[in-house]
């Protein structure tokens, strides 16, 4: 699980549906990204970084241990 994507989403008081809408994807696809069932495309990572105030992609991809 990419926990920091969830941390940043919650920090911004966004629902998963709102974040998915901002990324122009379906909520199920966002869930698949977060839970590592589907690879996050490069453009998706860049969009997440921008939405979350420019945080690094390395930070977003840190896994829950």
């Amino acid at each position: 699980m990419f926990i920091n994507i969830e941390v940043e989403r919650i920090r911004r008081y966004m629902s998963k549906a709102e974040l998915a809408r901002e990324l122009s994807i379906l909520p199920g696809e966002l869930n698949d990204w977060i839970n590592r069932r589907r690879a996050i495309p490069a453009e998706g990572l860049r969009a997440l970084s921008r939405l979350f105030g420019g945080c690094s992609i390395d930070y977003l991809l840190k896994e829950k241990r």
Side-chain angles (χ1 to χ4, degrees), residues 3-20 22-23 47-56 59-60:
I3 192 70
N4 288 337
I5 294 173
E6 284 289 87
V7 167
E8 294 301 321
R9 177 185 66 77
I10 293 165
R11 185 176 287 158
R12 284 161 179 77
Y13 303 101
M14 295 177 84
S15 69
K16 287 183 180 180
E18 289 169 328
L19 179 55
E22 288 289 325
L23 296 168
L48 285 165
S49 175
R50 283 191 302 269
L51 281 170
F52 295 152
C55 63
S56 76
Y59 165 76
L60 292 175

Side-chain angles (χ1 to χ4, degrees), residues 12-52:
R12 284 161 179 77
Y13 303 101
M14 295 177 84
S15 69
K16 287 183 180 180
E18 289 169 328
L19 179 55
R21 195 173 322 112
E22 288 289 325
L23 296 168
S24 299
I25 62 172
L26 296 172
E29 187 173 357
L30 177 62
N31 258 350
D32 287 348
W33 288 3
I34 292 168
N35 292 303
R36 303 189 64 199
R37 289 188 294 265
R38 182 183 295 185
I40 305 173
E43 184 52 42
L45 289 168
R46 287 190 291 271
L48 285 165
S49 175
R50 283 191 302 269
L51 281 170
F52 295 152

